[in-house]
Amino acid sequence: MSLTLYNTLTRRKEPFTPIHPGQVTMYCCGVTVYDDCHLGHARSYMVWDVVRRYLQWRGYSVCYVQNFTDIDDKILNRAQAEGSTMQVVSDRYIAAYFRDIRRLNILDADEYPRVTEHIPAIHQLIQALENQGYAYAIEGDVYYSVQQFAEYGKLSGRQLEQMQAGAGGRVDPIDPEFKKKYPFDFALWKAAKPGEPAWESPWGQGRPGWHIECSAMIRARLGDAIDIHGGGGDLVFPHHENEIAQSEVLTGQPLARYWLHNGMVTVNGEKMSKSLGNFTTIRALLEGSWSDYPQPVDPMAIRLFVLQAHYRKPLDFTKDAIVAAENGWQTLKEGLTLDWQRLNLSPQMPIPNELDAESVNRFQTAMNDDLNTAAGLAVLFELAKTLKREFNLRCYQGLSELTDIQLHQRSQTLTHLAQILGLEIQSESIPESGVDVAWVEALLQQRQQARQEKRYAESDRIRNELQAIGITLIDQPDGQSRWHRS
RNA sequence: GGCGGCAUGGCCAAGUGGUAAGGCAAGGGUCUGCAAAAUCCUCACCCUCGGUUCGAAUCCGAGUGCCGCCUCCA
């Protein structure tokens, strides 16, 4: 049973075989750091996080690199608007990136290269391209000549003639800012305008173009050819197409064996994006400042929301979907946090036969099929519900359907599989509100007394009072009441 | 205009030839002083029209609708 992945390059699912057996090199395009990340970013990095976790679980050693683009017009604009520098702006949003992404339990990459750290490597690449006739310099700019690369368009499946013929008014060959010879040539190096931050180069003061950074950083950190290159579907063209053009003419080998692209997060069916202004930041969701649903969303619910859809499909972001994911997470969480004490069992019970093989197999089959996390989650939900049911049977009815060993086995299996999807109970996310436990217990005593004396108006009053401050009561058959925060 | 993708129950979403996973929600029964919790049960002619096949949500053709990319974008 082998892992298959959908490769954008071939438009097919292909069995995954890394260049070096047992080792995987993986690069994903990171963010341009000029603002907080939104849910679309979260989805992308969560997906690559799961790819990586799954590969590791399958026994591969994975080297995962994700860049920060810290030279860019938007960063510059922001810096100028606030009277600071690109470095200040990008440092700030890199910190914001880590703050948000870590809360979503996305594991850190092995390396986070920045463009500003790779200027010499970029120069080398451009120089080589120029020497070999793939690039030309004009007045301090350097452009890649796409017509020199016969395979240009192979990733995105387009042909230059067609693009030119059909692009309508969007291709503007007479833009005075550009001196390129052909409309689809793209900048490798841009001459600095007065007052802009600039780096010394063989072509004069300037800064790198958008696409060259990734070619340079992949080469510097991972080598000429990598196993997996990931990114949002909106990067297929031109960004990844251009990376291929830059790298492959020099190395003579495929830049990446597998090109993976995630689908967009949409809002009312439209892509979530900065320019449309329809984005919701990760921070807003976590903090509860999203206007459609002004309460903090559990990071794991966001994970569940994302992972319940297949990664290549568009995912529509709505309040209802988030609420459903929160409720769904609640169910999983109950399965993940059994009250072993109430079961009179030790959570550490040694188990002879480890995990539940059928669940693991089903999960693995789903994940092997191009990371079908939605189908994999079904296995988790079934485990969680089985556990919950067993717990209730034992606690409420004194019955049981599973042996202690089976119970432990399911529990461990659930925890184990959930971890592959990054679904884990985060201890700091358990809210410790300022409720005075002793006070609650005292009220409960009063209420129990009232119930015994059939003063139901009084008992209901107490229940309502507690409910109003977010405490839910559960009356048990023995007359005692449990309570939990709603 | 070109290239690519998607259309499955109230909502989300798997399923790529043998008669529809899972989640959320909803309805009903049991339990309960009433609730809650628990528990049991119920809930899909798979966008349309043709075709292939013993058999199609699944393959082929046509159509309709929606989305992405072709400009910065995860």
Side-chain angles (χ1 to χ4, degrees):
Chain A
M1 198 163 52
S2 73
L3 170 63
T4 58
L5 295 172
Y6 181 88
N7 190 347
T8 306
L9 186 63
T10 56
R11 267 145 272 203
R12 279 200 308 263
K13 288 183 194 173
E14 299 177 338
F16 177 71
T17 324
I19 297 168
H20 301 291
Q23 294 173 22
V24 179
T25 48
M26 188 169 155
Y27 179 92
C28 297
C29 291
V31 273
T32 302
V33 278
Y34 71 104
D35 204 351
D36 281 341
C37 288
H38 59 61
L39 190 55
H41 301 108
R43 180 187 198 188
S44 195
Y45 301 121
M46 210 175 274
V47 165
W48 312 131
D49 182 54
V50 170
V51 171
R52 178 198 196 187
R53 286 172 186 260
Y54 186 66
L55 287 170
Q56 286 176 331
W57 181 67
R58 299 261 316 183
Y60 293 103
S61 108
V62 180
C63 183
Y64 175 50
V65 175
Q66 181 185 319
N67 73 296
F68 285 117
T69 297
D70 61 352
I71 302 177
D72 174 87
D73 283 343
K74 281 175 292 212
I75 304 172
L76 185 59
N77 292 341
R78 185 119 193 180
Q80 285 171 343
E82 62 187 46
S84 70
T85 65
M86 285 216 297
Q87 167 122 34
V88 167
V89 171
S90 49
D91 282 350
R92 179 164 73 235
Y93 290 108
I94 285 172
Y97 170 88
F98 282 119
R99 175 200 63 206
D100 294 338
I101 246 51
R102 285 176 179 154
R103 282 209 60 198
L104 296 174
N105 203 22
I106 292 168
L107 299 173
D108 280 5
D110 295 300
E111 296 187 54
Y112 289 100
R114 296 167 65 154
V115 185
T116 47
E117 297 164 348
H118 288 78
I119 302 294
I122 288 171
H123 287 165
Q124 275 177 20
L125 267 191
I126 298 176
Q127 192 87 70
L129 287 168
E130 197 181 9
N131 292 343
Q132 298 189 30
Y134 291 102
Y136 55 92
I138 296 182
E139 299 169 29
D141 290 346
V142 185
Y143 294 98
Y144 185 99
S145 177
V146 295
Q147 289 160 304
Q148 299 299 309
F149 181 44
E151 293 175 71
Y152 192 77
K154 69 177 177 180
L155 179 69
S156 55
R158 31 193 109 201
Q159 295 166 341
L160 289 170
E161 314 79 62
Q162 289 172 336
M163 287 198 295
Q164 193 172 25
R170 285 184 294 255
V171 174
D172 186 3
I174 53 164
D175 185 334
E177 193 181 329
F178 293 108
K179 303 138 201 157
K180 47 190 169 185
K181 296 176 181 168
Y182 181 76
F184 294 101
D185 289 351
F186 56 92
L188 298 167
W189 188 260
K190 298 194 270 197
K193 289 176 222 154
E196 282 182 358
W199 285 260
E200 216 34 83
S201 86
W203 310 276
Q205 294 266 317
R207 56 199 168 103
W210 174 35
H211 315 290
I212 194 68
E213 52 179 281
C214 286
S215 286
M217 289 188 281
I218 290 172
R219 199 174 197 189
R221 302 299 179 113
L222 294 170
D224 285 347
I226 61 173
D227 294 304
I228 295 175
H229 190 130
D234 51 358
L235 296 181
V236 175
F237 190 92
H239 185 55
H240 291 163
E241 194 72 70
N242 291 351
E243 278 183 47
I244 288 175
Q246 291 160 344
S247 295
E248 296 191 1
V249 294
L250 294 181
T251 65
Q253 51 183 311
L255 175 59
R257 279 166 90 109
Y258 302 89
W259 287 88
L260 270 41
H261 293 96
N262 64 277
M264 298 294 100
V265 173
T266 61
V267 179
N268 297 320
E270 270 190 328
K271 176 183 171 184
M272 176 180 287
S273 75
K274 294 276 182 184
S275 44
L276 288 170
N278 60 351
F279 60 93
T280 301
T281 62
I282 301 167
R283 195 217 300 239
L285 277 171
L286 294 175
E287 286 181 352
S289 53
W290 175 35
S291 55
D292 283 15
Y293 185 67
Q295 44 189 300
V297 177
D298 190 305
M300 291 300 108
I302 298 175
R303 251 190 120 98
L304 187 58
F305 165 69
V306 167
L307 266 19
Q308 276 198 296
H310 184 86
Y311 78 92
R312 281 192 285 117
K313 281 198 174 182
L315 174 59
D316 205 43
F317 172 60
T318 60
K319 177 196 161 188
D320 287 352
I322 292 296
V323 171
E326 285 208 292
N327 291 332
W329 170 239
Q330 196 59 39
T331 298
L332 286 180
K333 199 157 80 174
E334 283 179 43
L336 288 165
T337 54
L338 286 184
D339 185 342
W340 296 100
Q341 215 167 4
R342 280 200 74 204
L343 289 166
N344 292 317
L345 293 172
S346 158
Q348 270 85 39
M349 183 188 200
I351 301 182
N353 46 347
E354 299 149 24
L355 303 179
D356 177 54
E358 197 214 321
S359 299
V360 174
N361 282 340
R362 280 211 293 146
F363 180 84
Q364 191 164 232
T365 302
M367 294 293 281
N368 278 344
D369 182 15
D370 193 31
L371 295 187
N372 191 339
T373 51
L377 276 168
V379 178
L380 302 202
F381 273 104
E382 284 167 24
L383 280 169
K385 291 210 160 177
T386 302
L387 289 168
K388 191 176 160 185
R389 176 186 162 78
E390 178 70 12
F391 177 86
N392 287 320
L393 276 176
R394 290 187 178 212
C395 291
Y396 290 101
Q397 298 179 34
L399 304 170
S400 64
E401 291 178 345
L402 301 177
T403 63
D404 289 357
I405 287 179
Q406 285 174 318
L407 178 60
H408 273 92
Q409 191 186 43
R410 307 289 163 97
S411 168
Q412 292 195 5
T413 306
L414 175 61
T415 305
H416 182 87
L417 297 180
Q419 199 167 18
I420 298 169
L421 299 180
L423 291 165
E424 299 173 273
I425 307 287
Q426 296 172 308
S427 49
E428 67 271 34
S429 75
I430 296 170
E432 279 308 323
S433 59
V435 176
D436 182 340
V437 174
W439 173 74
V440 173
E441 297 290 347
L443 277 178
L444 249 50
Q445 279 294 326
Q446 283 181 36
R447 179 164 173 275
Q448 193 183 346
Q449 186 76 32
R451 289 179 68 210
Q452 276 169 3
E453 294 164 11
K454 297 197 193 301
R455 289 183 284 113
Y456 293 122
E458 171 68 2
S459 74
D460 289 350
R461 188 193 62 73
I462 294 172
R463 183 169 63 197
N464 291 338
E465 185 182 332
L466 286 169
Q467 186 67 66
I469 60 166
I471 288 175
T472 300
L473 299 190
I474 300 169
D475 293 342
Q476 295 173 176
D478 61 7
Q480 298 287 323
S481 299
R482 282 194 294 134
W483 61 277
H484 63 83
R485 297 182 181 91
S486 324

